[in-house]
Amino acid sequence: MKKAAGIFLCLCGFLAAGYAQDAKPPITLDEFMNATDVRIARIAPDGQAVVVWTNSPDWQHNRFRDDLWLWQQKTSGTVPLTQSGYDSQPAWSPDGKYISFLSSRALSDDSGGDDDKDETERVWVIPVAGGEAFPIYTEKLDAHAFAWSADGTKILFSIRQPLTKAQEDARKEDWKDVIRWREQERGDVLLAVSLQAAITENQKTPSPHAAPKRADDEQPLPKMAQVLTKNDRAITEIAPAQGQIAFETGTVSKRMEGPEAYEIFLVNGNGGEAKQLTHNDAVESGLRWSPDGKRLYFNVRAAAGSLEGKYQDVQGRLYAMDPATARVERLGADFRGSLEDYTVADDGSIIVAGLTGTEQQFYKIDGSKAEPLKGEAGTYSGVDAALHSPRMVALHSTINDPTQSFVVDDASQLQQAKAITAFNGIFGERAKPEWTTYRWKADDGTEVEGVLIYPPGKKGDKHLRMVTLIHGGPADADGDRFGADWYDWATLAAANGWLVFRPNYRGSSGYGDKFMLEIEPHLVSRPGRDILEGVDALVRDGIADPDRLAIGGYSYGGYMTNWLITQTTRFKAAVTGAGAVEHAANWGNDDETYDDAWYLSGKPWEKPQLYQSEAALFQFNKVTTPTHLVGGNADIRVSYLEDVLMERALSQLGIPHSFLVFPGEGHSLDKNPWHGYIKVREELKWLDKYVGSDAAPAPKGKFTAEDK
């Protein structure tokens, strides 16, 4: 794709014939799907620079690019830092002179071509003052996590415990290509490499990138690496402090089968046996130390359990631990919503993003209280504080304003934040949809909320054709935040003449633990009633046309879509993806087994009646809705076989349907941007085909031959 002023901009839009010169045309499919996603931003220790990680489609090479960008106060500009397209997860060295990152780029080339990818994801380092990036090791060992040591002299990283050459040869001889399920899994080893040693090694000539031969009894560890500790689990986060290192573990298999794999450990900075600090039914993350190194902070995100008891899907929580005693204190406990991203400022104060309803704002933690910081409407996330400055960097967006990175001089000056990125400028040149919150009463008297997004210029109109788009999770909430991809295409639907209803049903986060817990044990029937009651209210209010209703969703939104077309015939069309139609086999195939069992209050043999009564499959004889179905054939979050099962049922019943399979894609469809493009294109066509269109579709731009 083309670059302009160092920032990706989509310039393929145009004023089409028939539009007045002073009117803005709607966003096109091509423009919408070409959006750049701002993943994270990290601020330098002195607050004078920021590194930004973006993800964007590369149509020509059928992949997504991961790029790093650098903003510096002295130049006030944001420019490319790397160009390979395989670079992510940036981190500043404590002295601000280097940025480390993960990359699967080839060892000997950073040309940005299509053949510069390596199958190994290593830790790389680039000097901020200028110079080439270099790997800290060259062995074929994937780094799972990494961090700078507290003094900046070393880089710590985790890899799977390697086998000696003799062990590898023996395994191949005995087992050939047979997979020994669970038996062959190995935990991680935590390593440290001296930065100076890595610099010296990479300055040698000839290139050090040829893999050295090794003896049969030698493990292929990086030759400069110091082994700090080993663990029988994967090491997924590393947080060094002066003289000690905290780390978080996870499952070796990447199957999230139980929260017991996710615990926090502490090891001496010079290495040794690690001490386990936590023993709970929660998935901890976000390890950070207080400036004095005496407290260790961490969070448990929404639907990841809690430290207060047995596993259950509650809202996000924030904790502080005394590592010496392993005593844990919950912070911000009085906050009604869900606590998400957070950072520790240079003065020791904690700033956290808190979700309440359709807004996510920043709060300052004071014991059990969360004091709101005055910011702009919309969604704040990704906050990161400077190590030696009151400055912070954060991400912010609204439904109509793409996510950008902002530098804040002080947490109290949020409204004076300065934008340092300007991605996706095309959205400012297109007609913007209008939106509002919408509330209704459920059958049990509970107030439920959602978002209505109107076609540009249509707010206040009546009897509109309406598509209900159901968010996944289910622990999430639709609100005032930007989305432009295969999963979040609500504003594109609005641009194509649809009123979009986005309900935050029972089980959504941001509305209190009680609201979130009420999804259990009726995984689809309770949220389903919430959604249908919202649709009915919109019809009664004259906003939605009862004869032109459609429904859709992906992941848990797919679960709900599959269920609701068995409960009503009011929807003229449905678009669904990666959603289960039964729960017993999906419990066995899904990588989040423990979560599935919690939702249905037990395992399949413990609650067989619920597993059947909450499953769409056993009520498919009631389906009449033409249904468009998609799935990635490598999906293990919701088994791809659930998609196949649903298609077979629709086929046997003679229901009009279409099934698109995306080869090699998992749950997130992040391999090939054309898959997401085709998904959304065909979903919009399906809705128009079976519901009808108000008018001729808006002119659409075309990707150029160069782009393709």
Side-chain angles (χ1 to χ4, degrees), residues 302-303 313-315 336-338 355 357 440 448-450 470-478 502-519 527 530-531 556 599:
D313 276 4
V314 289
Q315 299 190 112
R336 177 178 174 270
S338 186
L355 174 65
W440 66 98
V448 188
E449 181 180 56
I470 307 169
H471 68 71
D476 195 1
D478 283 321
R502 311 189 78 179
N504 289 332
Y505 47 80
R506 228 72 62 98
S508 300
S509 50
Y511 295 93
D513 287 346
K514 180 178 182 294
F515 187 88
M516 196 169 172
L517 289 168
E518 286 176 341
I519 194 173
D530 288 345
I531 294 168
Y556 180 78
Y599 282 122

Side-chain angles (χ1 to χ4, degrees), residues 469-540:
L469 292 182
I470 307 169
H471 68 71
D476 195 1
D478 283 321
D480 192 8
R481 65 182 181 193
F482 184 76
D485 56 29
W486 62 268
Y487 174 77
D488 190 348
W489 48 277
T491 55
L492 179 65
N496 280 263
W498 287 93
L499 171 66
V500 182
F501 175 41
R502 311 189 78 179
N504 289 332
Y505 47 80
R506 228 72 62 98
S508 300
S509 50
Y511 295 93
D513 287 346
K514 180 178 182 294
F515 187 88
M516 196 169 172
L517 289 168
E518 286 176 341
I519 194 173
E520 186 268 341
H522 301 293
L523 172 58
V524 290
S525 60
R526 175 63 270 177
R529 291 197 300 275
D530 288 345
I531 294 168
L532 291 183
E533 287 154 1
V535 173
D536 289 344
L538 286 161
V539 169
R540 283 196 306 271

Side-chain angles (χ1 to χ4, degrees), residues 12 104 109 174 211 277 330 346 404 469 511 529 577 621 691-692 701:
C12 55
S104 57
D109 184 26
D174 289 346
L277 297 179
R330 182 180 169 189
D346 68 327
Q404 305 296 355
L469 292 182
Y511 295 93
R529 291 197 300 275
N621 59 307
V691 180

Side-chain angles (χ1 to χ4, degrees), residues 564-608:
L564 288 173
I565 61 175
T566 72
Q567 303 300 297
T568 178
T569 59
R570 74 191 76 187
F571 299 113
K572 306 304 180 187
V575 291
T576 183
V581 292
E582 56 77 53
H583 306 299
N586 194 55
W587 171 86
N589 294 320
D590 188 338
D591 78 327
E592 288 192 328
T593 300
Y594 63 93
D595 212 31
D596 294 342
W598 177 81
Y599 282 122
L600 291 161
S601 71
K603 299 177 182 67
W605 53 89
E606 295 170 338
K607 294 296 175 73

Side-chain angles (χ1 to χ4, degrees), residues 281-325:
D281 284 346
V283 180
E284 303 94 338
S285 61
L287 302 181
R288 292 179 182 264
W289 289 93
S290 61
D292 61 9
K294 294 181 179 179
R295 300 187 96 194
L296 179 63
Y297 300 106
F298 60 94
N299 59 4
V300 176
R301 291 184 174 273
S306 73
L307 273 62
E308 284 72 62
K310 291 185 178 180
Y311 181 86
Q312 56 181 353
D313 276 4
V314 289
Q315 299 190 112
R317 282 145 159 71
L318 183 63
Y319 298 94
M321 173 190 288
D322 176 358
T325 64

Side-chain angles (χ1 to χ4, degrees), residues 234-539:
I235 297 174
T236 57
E237 285 189 30
I238 306 168
Q242 209 64 44
Q244 53 191 345
I245 303 165
F247 62 87
E248 166 76 5
T249 61
T251 63
V252 176
S253 66
K254 304 299 187 294
R255 299 185 303 271
M256 301 174 67
E257 294 180 318
E260 64 276 358
Y262 302 87
E263 303 292 356
I264 299 173
F265 289 76
L266 189 69
V267 66
N268 185 279
N270 294 319
E273 188 72 22
K275 174 185 177 182
Q276 186 171 338
L277 297 179
T278 58
H279 302 77
N280 55 59
D281 284 346
V283 180
E284 303 94 338
S285 61
L287 302 181
R288 292 179 182 264
W289 289 93
S290 61
D292 61 9
K294 294 181 179 179
R295 300 187 96 194
L296 179 63
Y297 300 106
F298 60 94
N299 59 4
V300 176
R301 291 184 174 273
S306 73
L307 273 62
E308 284 72 62
K310 291 185 178 180
Y311 181 86
Q312 56 181 353
D313 276 4
V314 289
Q315 299 190 112
R317 282 145 159 71
L318 183 63
Y319 298 94
M321 173 190 288
D322 176 358
T325 64
R327 181 179 175 273
V328 176
E329 172 191 4
R330 182 180 169 189
L331 304 177
D334 295 344
F335 184 67
R336 177 178 174 270
S338 186
L339 297 178
E340 303 294 330
D341 303 328
Y342 79 99
T343 192
V344 182
D346 68 327
D347 63 358
S349 60
I350 301 172
I351 308 301
V352 62
L355 174 65
T356 54
T358 60
E359 294 273 321
Q360 185 164 292
Q361 296 288 310
F362 282 143
Y363 297 81
K364 186 174 182 178
I365 296 296
D366 181 9
S368 64
K369 298 180 179 179
E371 303 292 342
L373 299 175
K374 192 174 183 180
E376 301 294 334
T379 294
Y380 287 96
S381 64
V383 61
D384 185 49
L387 192 62
H388 307 300
S389 166
R391 274 190 161 185
M392 304 187 312
V393 67
L395 307 182
H396 179 265
S397 74
T398 70
I399 283 178
N400 283 314
D401 298 308
T403 303
Q404 305 296 355
S405 302
F406 291 81
V407 168
V408 185
D409 287 335
D410 183 89
S412 64
Q413 302 179 42
L414 204 52
Q415 289 184 310
Q416 285 76 52
K418 174 186 176 182
I420 60 170
T421 58
F423 296 101
N424 304 313
I426 193 67
F427 285 84
E429 301 171 21
R430 296 294 176 258
K432 295 183 178 181
E434 299 173 276
W435 72 279
T436 184
T437 55
Y438 184 78
R439 297 179 180 88
W440 66 98
K441 284 289 183 69
D443 55 5
D444 61 357
T446 300
E447 184 175 79
V448 188
E449 181 180 56
V451 172
L452 281 180
I453 304 177
Y454 287 82
K458 296 289 187 179
K459 188 175 181 181
D461 284 11
K462 300 291 186 178
H463 303 290
L464 297 169
R465 65 173 187 163
M466 185 177 82
V467 58
T468 298
L469 292 182
I470 307 169
H471 68 71
D476 195 1
D478 283 321
D480 192 8
R481 65 182 181 193
F482 184 76
D485 56 29
W486 62 268
Y487 174 77
D488 190 348
W489 48 277
T491 55
L492 179 65
N496 280 263
W498 287 93
L499 171 66
V500 182
F501 175 41
R502 311 189 78 179
N504 289 332
Y505 47 80
R506 228 72 62 98
S508 300
S509 50
Y511 295 93
D513 287 346
K514 180 178 182 294
F515 187 88
M516 196 169 172
L517 289 168
E518 286 176 341
I519 194 173
E520 186 268 341
H522 301 293
L523 172 58
V524 290
S525 60
R526 175 63 270 177
R529 291 197 300 275
D530 288 345
I531 294 168
L532 291 183
E533 287 154 1
V535 173
D536 289 344
L538 286 161
V539 169

